Amino acid sequence: MISKAKGFNYVKAHVIWIQRWKNGAWEEGHLDSNDQFTISGLSTSLHYGQEAFEGLKAYRRKDGRINLFRVQDNARRFQTSCEYMMMPTIPVEDFIAAVKKTVIANQDFVPPYGNKESLYIRPFMIGVGDNLGLRPAPEFIFSIIVSSVGSYFNGDVKPVDMSVSDYDRAAPHGTGHVKVGGNYAASLKAQVKARREGYADCIFLDPTTHTKIEEAGAANFFGITKNHQYITPKSPSILNSITNRSLKYLAKNFLNIEVIEGEIYIDKLDDLIEAGACGTAATITPIGSITYQNKKHIFPASEEMGHYTKKLNELLTGIQYGDLKDPDGWITTL
Ligand SMILES: *Cc1c(COP(=O)(O)O)cnc(C)c1O
C-alpha cells in the first residue's frame, strides 16, 4: 500500500477517469495514467468558468476493504450543478460506476485504516472545444482525479479561529447552492486575507443582509445552542453539504437532540456553546472563535472539541470507516 498523504495536497495516483462529450453524446470513458490533458485555449471553462465539481472520499476499513460514503448523493448534486452550468449531465449510475472504477484502479492509494486519512475523489466537468462568444461549450470533459489526503485544516481536533469576511461568496439568487468553480475563484480573496491574518478560514455572511452566518470557507457551518439543539443556517445561497445532511440525521436519530435549520445571527453568537465547519474535505472542524468587526467571540468549547461535536465526529467517522453500522444506505463497500 502506498500511503503518503500530505495534508490536503495532491499526491498523483495511478490513473484518472476521462470521458468526452462530443456531437451531443457521451463517448465511452476510460482510465488514463496521464493526469495532464490538452484542451482548446478557447475552452469556456478557461474563459467563462463553465465548470462544476464534486468531492467525496474513499475510506479504508479495518478489514482492508474500501468504503465510499453517500456516492449517490454526490452523483445527484453533480447533476444539479451541471444543469445550472448548461452542461450535459451524467446519469447517476454512470457516475457511480466511473467513481468505483477509478477508486479500484487506484486502491493502492487509499491510505491504511487507523490514522484518519482517506482517498479524496474529485469528479469534475469542464466546457472545452473551440469557442469565442459567451455560450455553452460545444464539447465537454468529465474527469475524476483522486489523491491520498490527510486533514484539511492543520491539526484536526483543536478548534480553529475564523474571521468574518467583508466579501460575499455568492449572490442572493446566484450560484451559491451549486458546486461550480466560479464560486471558489470568487472566494479566494477572502480566504487568502483571512489566512494572512492568522485565521484558519473566513466566515461568509448572507449576501442580502450581512447579518447571518452562511458558510465557513468552503464548508457548511453548524452550532450547538445553549438549549442543546443542532443548528445550521438555511439559505438559498448555501451549498447543500452531504456531511451536514448526515450530521443532522445523526444529531436527531443518534444524539436525540433537536435539529434546527434557521438563522444564526452574527451578533448573537452567545447562543451557541459549540460551533464547527463541516464538509468532505474539512470533515468536522471545531471553531473556537469568530472575529467580527475586530471583536473576537470565543465559544465555550474553544480549547478542545465540544461534547456534541465530538460525539457527531465519532459517529460520522465510525460509519465512514465501517466501524459502526451504516444507518441509512450511506455506504458502498468495494
Ligand atoms: C463542497 C462544499 C461543502 C461541503 O459539502 P459536502 O457535501 O459535505 O462535502 C460546503 N460548502 C461549500 C461551499 C462546498 O463547496
Side-chain angles (χ1 to χ4, degrees), residues 237-291:
S237 45
I238 291 179
L239 197 277
N240 186 347
S241 154
I242 295 162
T243 312
N244 195 3
R245 230 182 283 163
S246 309
L247 295 183
K248 283 185 256 183
Y249 182 96
L250 296 172
K252 182 161 174 271
N253 296 292
F254 285 67
L255 303 186
N256 298 311
I257 60 175
E258 197 187 339
V259 171
I260 307 173
E261 291 174 74
E263 262 65 273
I264 302 176
Y265 289 97
I266 191 64
D267 61 0
K268 293 226 175 74
L269 294 180
D270 280 337
D271 291 346
L272 302 181
I273 53 170
E274 298 176 26
C278 66
T280 299
T283 55
I284 297 183
T285 302
I287 300 174
S289 78
I290 295 179
T291 299

Side-chain angles (χ1 to χ4, degrees), residues 2-218:
I2 308 166
S3 172
K4 38 182 177 178
K6 298 180 289 187
F8 207 78
N9 294 303
Y10 180 52
V11 176
K12 188 186 179 301
H14 295 307
V15 286
I16 72 169
W17 178 262
I18 296 263
Q19 189 166 0
R20 287 172 189 275
W21 190 89
K22 257 187 204 164
N23 306 318
W26 286 109
E27 297 181 344
E28 239 2 86
H30 68 280
L31 294 166
D32 201 315
S33 60
N34 182 8
D35 67 348
Q36 312 283 311
F37 38 85
T38 304
I39 59 172
S40 167
L42 291 152
S43 297
T44 57
S45 50
L46 299 179
H47 298 262
Y48 308 127
Q50 196 182 22
E51 191 267 359
F53 67 97
E54 268 306 324
L56 67 156
K57 282 176 173 173
Y59 305 86
R60 178 78 63 184
R61 300 156 53 97
K62 213 177 204 161
D63 65 10
R65 297 174 73 195
I66 294 166
N67 277 353
L68 296 176
F69 183 70
R70 302 190 72 163
V71 58
Q72 316 85 324
D73 297 74
N74 292 98
R76 283 189 216 109
R77 187 172 64 190
F78 192 53
Q79 291 188 323
T80 309
S81 301
C82 290
E83 275 167 13
Y84 195 104
M85 287 291 113
M86 302 309 294
M87 302 196 291
T89 55
I90 300 275
V92 168
E93 291 315 309
D94 294 358
F95 179 98
I96 295 172
V99 167
K100 283 185 181 172
K101 280 182 199 159
T102 311
V103 171
I104 289 168
N106 291 303
Q107 57 183 293
D108 296 346
F109 286 87
V110 182
Y113 171 86
N115 46 8
K116 299 282 173 242
E117 294 175 347
S118 55
L119 186 77
Y120 184 76
I121 306 162
R122 166 56 60 80
F124 63 101
M125 195 185 296
I126 52 176
V128 297
D130 296 337
N131 176 73
L132 191 55
L134 178 60
R135 65 178 76 86
E139 296 173 14
F140 296 89
I141 292 176
F142 168 54
S143 176
I144 304 172
I145 284 178
V146 300
S147 174
S148 312
V149 293
S151 75
Y152 183 74
F153 292 111
N154 295 333
D156 52 356
V157 281
K158 264 238 157 274
V160 299
D161 298 313
M162 295 204 178
S163 69
V164 174
S165 173
D166 297 332
Y167 308 110
D168 296 330
R169 67 175 281 276
H173 302 284
T175 54
H177 65 295
V178 284
K179 217 167 171 71
V180 302
N183 291 346
Y184 303 87
S187 71
L188 282 174
K189 193 176 166 77
Q191 185 213 58
V192 169
K193 182 168 182 283
R195 295 210 171 143
R196 269 197 198 129
E197 291 169 357
Y199 300 100
D201 215 325
C202 62
I203 298 280
F204 290 106
L205 299 182
D206 74 283
T208 309
T209 67
H210 298 109
T211 56
K212 300 173 273 186
I213 292 183
E214 288 238 314
E215 295 244 29

